Amino acid sequence: MPEDELRRIVDDTRRDSLPYGAGRERVRARLVSAVQRQAEARGQTANAAWIRKVGRAVTPSLDAVWPAVRPEAVLYEVLRDPPDGVLTPAERRAVAWARPPRGVRGARWSAADLVLLDELAALIERPRGYGHVIVDEAQDLSPMECRAVARRSEHGSITVLGDLAQGTTPWAATSWPERMELLGKPDVRLVALTTGFRVPAAVVELANTLLAALAADVPVTRSYRTDGKVRVTEVAELGAGVAAAVREALAFEGSIGVIAADTDVESLRTALRSANPAGPGTGADVTAEFGGRLTVLPASLAKGLEYDHVIVAEPAAIAAAERRGLNRLYVALTRAVSRLDVVHARPLPPQLCPPIEPA
């Protein structure tokens, strides 16, 4: 086959902007067709078996001009040695592996890498679409994650749920029109769900005082429930204050969650073991030591959880721990379904304004 004909086949296929894998199979089909025309011109009969044989025979040539690729292999090469001329030197330093694995099989992909792998897979083979896609916690999707969702809902409908006030990722959405644009659905019907029943009104009122500081287009929420209790307590020592709040919470039925800044969790667990009414424990499982009712967890893991009684320890530490710390504090405050204790040794964040007098 003349080189100019092979080049024309490849160039024409590239101009069609097909997924990479589909383009490779089109080049194969056109190579086989070109060989078939030559064979038939010489009087040969090109039956199905002959076509399959030629399809296998052209594979080495196909691999030279349009090699088969896998997403993992492509990303491995990019992160091992980012391409010069495509990325700036600063971008290359930012994405390159500090210690590249010896091979693609030894690569340990991060959550961010998985999104890149999905993007690569879509460039190679167009993903399957769905008639309807439902996305929860959509406020925390990254732009690349939005692309992954948009590819699968391109020809279908989509339902998106989320709370902009609970956006805790660095790329969290601050408005829904912007987020829906990234999801490929700019023309949507937006419904604000402003009334709930899970969190009592007293808790909602306290959490609402943070909304003005969250830089998110979120309406004030309200609750159907008029029950519930909120108490804000200033203490001299955080561990002792939290332990006292836990002892009082044990007098009520239900689960108890102590939510603190990630760096405070271990010291609070130690304080609670010492205050265990059944005697100081030494195990790592504080939950078991309090009859399975108590959980001590970092604020970074509180989203989506709920407890009958929540004790938020040192709101200022939670707010200062990360870029969206106030959003994280909002999440922590709204985990309570019956009672909320806010225990602090440091001054409260100025954005948090208790609607009740501190006890």
Side-chain angles (χ1 to χ4, degrees):
M1 180 179 296
E3 179 183 346
D4 59 347
E5 184 172 1
L6 177 60
R7 188 181 299 278
R8 179 184 58 78
I9 290 173
V10 172
D11 290 345
D12 287 349
T13 303
R14 291 183 65 186
R15 278 192 290 269
D16 289 337
S17 300
L18 297 169
Y20 186 91
R24 173 180 163 89
E25 292 310 308
R26 177 173 291 187
V27 170
R28 182 196 298 275
R30 290 180 174 179
L31 288 176
V32 172
S33 179
V35 175
Q36 181 180 352
R37 287 195 300 271
Q38 293 185 35
E40 290 174 342
R42 297 187 179 99
Q44 292 182 334
T45 300
N47 56 24
W50 184 92
I51 291 175
R52 288 194 297 271
K53 181 179 179 180
V54 173
R56 292 190 296 270
V58 301
T59 297
S61 297
L62 179 64
D63 287 340
V65 299
W66 201 297
V69 296
R70 295 187 302 113
E72 294 81 2
V74 175
L75 187 57
Y76 170 80
E77 292 297 333
V78 170
L79 300 183
R80 183 181 66 86
D81 185 19
D84 192 12
V86 177
L87 302 176
T88 67
E91 289 170 339
R92 295 183 67 200
R93 290 192 297 271
V95 303
W97 271 322
R99 294 183 180 180
R102 294 184 178 181
V104 64
R105 291 186 177 182
R108 295 184 177 181
W109 305 113
S110 68
D113 293 334
L114 295 180
V115 184
L116 295 178
L117 290 172
D118 188 84
E119 182 85 12
L120 283 165
L123 292 173
I124 296 170
E125 297 289 347
R126 183 171 285 119
R128 174 188 175 188
Y130 296 92
H132 188 72
V133 174
I134 300 175
V135 186
D136 197 9
E137 300 290 357
Q139 76 279 355
D140 279 327
L141 292 177
S142 71
M144 289 293 288
E145 289 170 334
C146 287
R147 287 174 62 87
V149 174
R151 283 192 291 271
R152 289 159 174 81
S153 61
E154 181 179 3
H155 302 293
S157 55
I158 186 170
T159 298
V160 173
L161 304 100
D163 182 355
L164 298 181
Q166 295 190 42
T168 54
T169 58
W171 46 79
T174 57
S175 72
W176 285 117
E178 170 193 5
R179 182 47 37 102
M180 297 311 300
E181 186 80 32
L182 293 175
L183 287 167
K185 304 291 184 182
D187 300 319
V188 297
R189 183 168 68 96
L190 179 63
V191 179
L193 306 178
T194 59
T195 304
F197 62 89
R198 181 181 65 84
V199 182
V203 176
V204 169
E205 289 171 8
L206 177 61
N208 279 342
T209 65
L210 288 174
L211 292 180
L214 299 186
D217 184 13
V218 179
V220 172
T221 58
R222 62 189 182 93
S223 175
Y224 277 120
R225 295 171 50 191
T226 57
D227 61 335
K229 179 181 179 182
V230 172
R231 181 174 62 175
V232 180
T233 306
E234 184 175 4
V235 297
E237 198 276 318
L238 185 64
V242 169
V246 168
R247 283 194 296 269
E248 293 186 32
L250 289 169
F252 299 92
E253 294 183 353
S255 57
I256 306 168
V258 175
I259 304 176
D262 294 35
T263 54
D264 289 340
V265 168
E266 283 308 314
S267 62
L268 289 177
R269 284 175 177 163
T270 300
L272 287 167
R273 290 190 195 102
S274 300
N276 183 6
T282 58
D285 188 0
V286 178
T287 300
E289 294 177 12
F290 283 83
R293 295 179 54 193
L294 175 66
T295 301
V296 182
L297 71 157
S300 60
L301 298 181
K303 187 176 294 185
L305 302 179
E306 59 183 49
Y307 301 92
D308 294 292
H309 193 126
V310 168
I311 300 167
V312 174
E314 205 64 273
I318 296 174
E322 55 186 304
R323 174 183 170 187
R324 291 184 177 267
L326 287 175
N327 298 75
R328 189 76 70 182
L329 177 58
Y330 180 89
V331 172
L333 294 171
T334 54
R335 299 308 93 198
V337 299
S338 293
R339 298 171 302 280
L340 171 66
D341 267 315
V342 177
V343 180
H344 65 104
R346 295 162 52 180
L348 292 172
Q351 299 89 346
L352 181 65
C353 304
I356 60 174
E357 290 296 325

